[in-house]
Amino acid sequence: PKHERSFVQSLKEMGGSKIAWQVALFMGLQSLAFYVILAWLPEILQDRGLSPQKAGWMLSLSQGMGVVGTIFIPTWAEKVDDQRTIVWLLVIFEAVSLVGLMLPSGFLVGLWASLIGVALGGSFGLALLFIILRTSNSETATELSGMAQSIGYLLAAVGPTLFGALHDITHAWFVPLLFLLIIVGAKLVFGLGAGRPTSVS
């Protein structure tokens, strides 16, 4: 298939570049976290005592704040040469919201839903911007985009199933949310690499 060929071609062209892997894995892990939250946030919140309607509204709030992040973060990131400060900010927002969701009550759920929405929306916008900022021409950008999006789709497909399996095994949300916190740590590492003012060579 064409998609498979383009992925193989992209890997052939980009596979030796450290910065290409950092951009691709940052995008992939962002996709994983986004689809996990999309799939599981209402259920987590219902277990915290929220009604199905309120849990649904919290998911809508999270998605709405994600749009804010998707617009605001790339606009800011374009104006600076080094995006590592922005990566730190997004990771802190996401980590704080995940710790908040680990609390056994529905305490401040609107805040946690908003923070994780901004973090994931902003990360998505930043990941797309990295593809442009870290390449010097359109051909390289196309190759990097193919690699990053292929890895992104792969991780996005695995994420919600793995998260659900961890919940089924442990009968609680702590371990699955801890798994997302570990993903945040990995995102920080790759994001700090991708945020440096350098280009794919």
Side-chain angles (χ1 to χ4, degrees), residues 1-15 143 146-147 150:
K2 187 181 175 188
H3 177 75
E4 195 175 300
R5 277 204 310 277
S6 69
F7 178 47
V8 171
Q9 183 65 29
S10 299
L11 270 185
K12 203 180 287 182
E13 298 288 333
M14 297 276 129
E143 296 291 351
M147 177 178 170
S150 298

Side-chain angles (χ1 to χ4, degrees), residues 45-132:
L45 294 180
Q46 284 178 67
D47 277 6
R48 297 289 183 255
L50 272 70
S51 67
Q53 291 84 355
K54 190 166 183 189
W57 275 112
M58 288 298 115
L59 180 62
S60 298
L61 173 64
S62 176
Q63 297 299 294
M65 293 303 288
V67 173
V68 174
T70 305
I71 294 166
F72 173 70
I73 294 295
T75 306
W76 175 17
E78 263 186 319
K79 293 178 178 154
V80 294
D81 291 328
D82 188 323
Q83 287 79 32
R84 284 176 287 188
T85 301
I86 299 170
V87 170
W88 269 110
L89 182 69
L90 291 169
V91 162
I92 288 167
F93 276 11
E94 193 172 343
V96 167
S97 62
L98 288 171
V99 171
L101 290 171
M102 284 177 171
L103 299 174
S105 68
F107 180 68
L108 292 180
V109 288
L111 178 60
W112 313 140
S114 299
L115 279 179
I116 205 160
V118 170
L120 293 175
S123 296
F124 175 68
L126 189 59
L128 292 177
L129 187 66
F130 278 157
I131 292 169
I132 299 161

Side-chain angles (χ1 to χ4, degrees), residues 40 159-169 173 176:
W40 289 102
T161 308
L162 181 55
F163 189 87
L166 289 171
H167 178 255
D168 288 345
I169 292 163
W173 294 111

